[in-house]
Structures are given as structure tokens and as C-alpha cells.
Amino acid sequence: MSLAINIAGVKFENPIWAASGTFGTGEEFLDFVDLDKIGAVVTKTVTLEARVGNPAPRIVETASGMLNSIGLENKGIDHCVKETIPFLRKYRTKIVVSIAGNGLSDYTECARRLSGKNAPDMIEINLSCPNVTHKGAKHALFAQDGALTGEIVRAVKRETDIPSITKLTPNVTDITEIAIAAEKAGTDALALVNTYFGMAIDSGTGKPVLGRVTGGLSGPAIKPMALKAVYDVYKKVKVPIIGIGGIMTAECAVEFMLAGARAIQVGTANFVDPRSTMKILQGVEAHLGEKGIKDINELTGKAHG
Ligand SMILES: Cc1cc2nc3c(=O)[nH]c(=O)nc-3n(C[C@H](O)[C@H](O)[C@H](O)COP(=O)(O)O)c2cc1C
């Protein structure tokens, strides 16, 4: 039985990855997860300079999910190149570094700094963080604008040979339009989805709960919507899709693959059970065995008939 997948020439041992922002650098999970086993670790999004993130409280539990407004707290791209990548290189897991910035030149500079001796296997271009503000931008998120998405993807592609994944927001009228724009600009793969805009208000104090007022919703609450996003985008693009959103079990992972995902990322589940990625991997393997499927790639898109 083969669980191996190939995205843009990069061979992953399996399609079960840890999602950005929910798995630290991987080091925090060493007591729970065998980093030789999971397909890839997507790092917390890094920016050119270190950031402290948003005011507390930054996390609140909701029915079937959680809201976060972390705001890209990170130690900056140079720290990632010097510390995070060499740490992860000790393991067989593939390394995907997630990058973000205030504008196009931040993205290209991050890509440039990643392209030296300690290069990751792939770059995830995060155009969809709901918890930061871009001065003067027409939209709250870069990935709400197809033209801007295309521009940033093209610029990163020009800057580096490292294959890229473009991470999209579901906070748009039609995510397929943005996916097509990213594909036309040359992205090697798409990751969907990031969190959905949301908020919580405390009826007792009468005030918003999150320090930044609004945040991003994740977890089982978003799964049916994220699944539909993958299903819809699969019909419109040829590049591989990485499915994300409320994947808590092996069954969820299989459903995303049937909808069209080549790989999946586990996010909020890591907070519920830090062993989630390992358990999902074992469960997917068992599923293939039960169904007599020899190659996991056979699952991708099967729900489309
Ligand atoms: C606490 C927290 C922090 C996150 N930080 C990032 C981030 O830095 N970059 C990013 O692309 N996505 C970030 N995300 C979004 C996740 O990677 C994922 O796209 C989203 O949570 C949906 O998946 P899930 O429902 O499995 O959590 C974060 C999510 C959470 C819950």
C-alpha cells in the first residue's frame, strides 16, 4: 500500500500534514508526534520582521470550534532560516514554510531569504490571515482580490525556484475565481481554507471577547464549508489542492481527499489532542486497507464520479 504523494516534484511520504499556526515549529509536539512519520509540517506563518501579535485574549472556544486572533506572532524569517528549518531537517517530515507580509516586496524578500542553503521543501504563501491589517489595501485580505493574488504569486515564483502553495481565504463570494487567478499566476498548489471571519460577545460584560474584537473561526464548525470549497475548486483547477478545515478524524481526511484534495492539513484538532496527526495517519492507513486501495492517490476527487 502506498501513501506517498507528489506535489510539484516534491515527494511526501503521506498526505497528512500539520497546519500552519497550530503546530508551532514542530518542536512543541515532540512528546506526542513522530516527526519522521507525518507528511509535512507547515510552520507558523513567518514575516520579514518578528511580530508580537494582537492583544489578549486571542483565543476563545465556540460551539464546535474556536476563534483565534493571534495576528501572526512570530520570530521573523531569519530566525526561521537559522533555527526552525535546521531543527526540522533532522526528521523525515517535509518542511513547508508559511510566509506573509504587508505587501508584495515583503513576500519576495521572504522568498529570497528562504532560497539559500537551508531552503525548505515548499513555501506556503499565506494571503489569507484574517487577523492583520494591510494599510491602504482595498480588501482586508490579499486573497480576496484575484489580481493581487496573481501578482504576489508571480513575484514569489520569479524570486525563487522553491515550489509554492498559495493559501486562500474562504471569506469571498467565489473562491474558485481566486483559485483560478493563483493557478494562472503559476502557483504549484493551493491550500484551502484559512479561517472564516467571526466574533464572540460576552453577554455579561456586553463586550467583544477577543482583544482584537474579531477573529478567525476554525474546527468542526467550518468543515462542511471547507469541504465544499475543495470540491468546487477541484472542478476548476488542475494544480493539486491541499484541504484544510475542521479535519478531526481519519474519516474527515478521507472525505477531503474524495472531494479533491491531494493532501490535507490538521489544524484545530492539534489543540484538542496533540496526537491528532498521528491518529489520523493511522486511521487513513486502516481505511485504505479495509477498502483494498493500494495507492492513496486513487482517493483524490473520487466523489466527483
Ligand atoms: C490558533 C491558530 C493560529 C493560526 N495561525 C495561522 C497562521 O499563522 N498561518 C496560516 O496560514 N493559518 C493559520 N491558522 C489557520 C489554520 O492553519 C487553518 O487553515 C484553519 O485553522 C482551518 O483548519 P482547522 O479547522 O483544522 O483548524 C491558524 C489557526 C489557528 C486555530
Side-chain angles (χ1 to χ4, degrees), residues 59-97:
I59 281 185
V60 53
E61 217 174 305
T62 66
S64 283
M66 66 188 275
L67 281 160
N68 90 82
S69 62
I70 308 292
L72 301 188
E73 178 184 353
N74 77 95
K75 292 182 176 160
I77 190 79
D78 291 336
H79 180 271
C80 175
V81 171
K82 279 197 204 96
E83 305 290 337
T84 309
I85 297 176
F87 162 75
L88 286 170
R89 269 288 167 246
K90 293 189 283 185
Y91 302 91
R92 283 168 63 184
T93 191
K94 288 285 185 266
I95 306 168
V96 181
V97 171

Side-chain angles (χ1 to χ4, degrees), residues 19-22 44-45 59 66 68 70 72 98 124 126 167 193-195 218-219 222 244-247 265-268 271:
S20 180
T22 66
K44 170 75 189 166
T45 298
I59 281 185
M66 66 188 275
N68 90 82
I70 308 292
L72 301 188
S98 169
E124 189 169 271
N126 177 6
K167 186 161 178 184
V193 294
N194 209 315
T195 53
S218 62
I222 71 168
I244 324 163
I247 296 174
Q265 293 178 17
V266 179
T268 298
F271 294 99

Side-chain angles (χ1 to χ4, degrees), residues 49-63:
E49 309 293 343
R51 290 193 188 179
V52 293
N54 289 322
R58 308 199 292 187
I59 281 185
V60 53
E61 217 174 305
T62 66

Side-chain angles (χ1 to χ4, degrees), residues 9-141:
V10 182
K11 196 176 169 211
F12 295 84
E13 284 197 15
N14 63 69
I16 312 301
W17 303 3
S20 180
T22 66
F23 205 73
T25 62
E27 195 165 358
E28 297 85 338
F29 281 75
L30 280 181
D31 287 346
F32 310 102
V33 173
D34 183 349
L35 293 180
D36 286 329
K37 293 261 162 70
I38 59 171
V41 171
V42 186
T43 66
K44 170 75 189 166
T45 298
V46 291
T47 50
L48 213 44
E49 309 293 343
R51 290 193 188 179
V52 293
N54 289 322
R58 308 199 292 187
I59 281 185
V60 53
E61 217 174 305
T62 66
S64 283
M66 66 188 275
L67 281 160
N68 90 82
S69 62
I70 308 292
L72 301 188
E73 178 184 353
N74 77 95
K75 292 182 176 160
I77 190 79
D78 291 336
H79 180 271
C80 175
V81 171
K82 279 197 204 96
E83 305 290 337
T84 309
I85 297 176
F87 162 75
L88 286 170
R89 269 288 167 246
K90 293 189 283 185
Y91 302 91
R92 283 168 63 184
T93 191
K94 288 285 185 266
I95 306 168
V96 181
V97 171
S98 169
I99 60 169
N102 289 325
L104 191 138
S105 61
D106 283 6
Y107 283 92
T108 52
E109 183 57 21
C110 281
R112 194 183 68 75
R113 292 194 199 182
L114 285 172
S115 304
K117 160 164 97 47
N118 289 343
D121 298 293
M122 290 191 89
I123 292 176
E124 189 169 271
I125 308 170
N126 177 6
L127 300 177
S128 48
C129 178
N131 300 314
V132 290
T133 314
H134 307 291
K135 271 194 212 121
K138 197 167 85 186
H139 296 96
L141 314 174

Side-chain angles (χ1 to χ4, degrees), residues 152-164:
I152 297 174
V153 170
R154 252 188 301 275
V156 170
K157 289 295 293 176
R158 264 197 305 268
E159 190 62 52
T160 181
D161 292 332
I162 303 168
S164 66

